Amino acid sequence: MTDMVHNINVKVYIADSSKLQDKELFQQLYDNANEYRREKIDKTEDQRDKQAALAAGVLLSRALKEAGYKEQELELQFNNNGKPFYSKHPELGFSLAYSGDRAMCAIAIADGPIGAEIGCDVEENTKELAEYLDEYNMTADKWTRLESYAKATQADMESLFYGSASVIPGFIFSHPEFDDNYKYNVCCRIKIPSENIIIVDLTK
């Protein structure tokens, strides 16, 4: 499939979801969200996670709009691994992630079908996470690399974690760095230029 792709444009959107502590803003964005996103939020118990899940959906809506798509006209389906995709637009791939007060959306548009060949992940680099990963001789940066790769390639995360999965060549990692306590990674077929990593203010 990938040999049919010649040009790929990838953009990454990142937001501070703590801005959605504002109840009026949260409700406004929630009301504008699609049914799938609202159901996902409703099933989430922790308010911080609700904010992050909503923020991820907001980022996707913005990314699609800027790319020239009308989200309400796109048919969302799910593959055998539960990954969402737009069935009638094989040239379009996206990945969402959130952790703590950060939400992330990576979107790829190609001049040929690319399937789900993009993945992103963000993790709050907490003491608890560091202690857990240290038991497996792993860092938060490596963990987000594995997560983003698993999303991009549909690989089994457990097999990747224990090193028993086959590695698919041709994937490149980009890891945006900010002065915060989070680790970010994006996995796709190209290196993402810094100007394509966009910080979004959810209050605007």
Side-chain angles (χ1 to χ4, degrees):
M1 181 180 295
T2 55
D3 59 357
M4 294 189 290
V5 177
H6 302 288
N7 297 300
I8 307 175
N9 183 41
V10 176
K11 287 189 176 182
V12 179
Y13 298 79
I14 297 171
D16 178 355
S17 57
S18 69
K19 303 289 186 181
L20 301 188
Q21 291 178 17
D22 183 314
K23 293 183 179 179
E24 184 176 343
L25 177 59
F26 180 95
Q27 192 62 48
Q28 175 189 339
L29 295 176
Y30 176 89
D31 291 342
N32 290 333
N34 60 32
E35 182 179 358
Y36 167 73
R37 182 59 42 184
R38 291 197 300 269
E39 288 180 354
K40 194 173 185 67
I41 295 165
D42 292 343
K43 292 177 182 178
T44 303
E45 296 184 3
D46 182 77
Q47 183 59 31
R48 196 183 186 202
D49 289 340
K50 285 180 180 287
Q51 293 165 186
L54 177 56
V58 171
L59 294 180
L60 176 59
S61 297
R62 173 169 176 160
L64 291 170
K65 182 178 180 180
E66 291 186 357
Y69 293 90
K70 295 181 179 180
E71 185 177 16
Q72 64 274 18
E73 297 179 359
L74 298 174
E75 183 179 352
L76 189 66
Q77 294 188 358
F78 300 85
N79 65 17
N80 293 334
N81 293 323
K83 182 177 175 66
F85 68 100
Y86 296 117
S87 57
K88 296 181 180 179
H89 291 274
E91 82 286 355
L92 171 63
F94 72 93
S95 179
L96 303 179
Y98 53 86
S99 176
D101 291 326
R102 293 294 182 273
M104 187 177 188
C105 169
I107 185 170
I109 301 170
D111 61 1
I114 59 171
E117 291 187 334
I118 187 164
C120 72
D121 191 48
V122 55
E123 292 290 345
E124 184 176 15
N125 198 18
T126 63
K127 180 181 178 182
E128 291 77 14
L129 177 63
E131 290 176 348
Y132 170 75
L133 294 178
D134 189 56
E135 294 181 13
Y136 300 93
N137 194 29
M138 183 173 292
T139 64
D141 180 64
K142 185 175 180 180
W143 175 263
T144 56
R145 285 169 64 93
L146 287 178
E147 282 276 9
S148 63
Y149 177 84
K151 290 180 180 181
T153 64
Q154 302 300 293
D156 177 65
M157 185 62 185
E158 184 175 356
S159 298
L160 288 172
F161 189 86
Y162 290 106
S164 59
S166 299
V167 175
I168 301 173
F171 283 91
I172 299 172
F173 294 96
S174 299
H175 40 91
E177 294 185 1
F178 303 99
D179 188 19
D180 61 12
N181 195 37
Y182 292 83
K183 293 295 183 181
Y184 308 83
N185 257 298
V186 184
C187 178
C188 61
R189 292 285 183 176
I190 65 169
K191 187 70 175 179
I192 303 170
S194 58
E195 61 267 23
N196 282 12
I197 298 173
I198 302 159
I199 303 300
V200 176
D201 185 344
L202 296 172
T203 66
K204 296 181 179 179

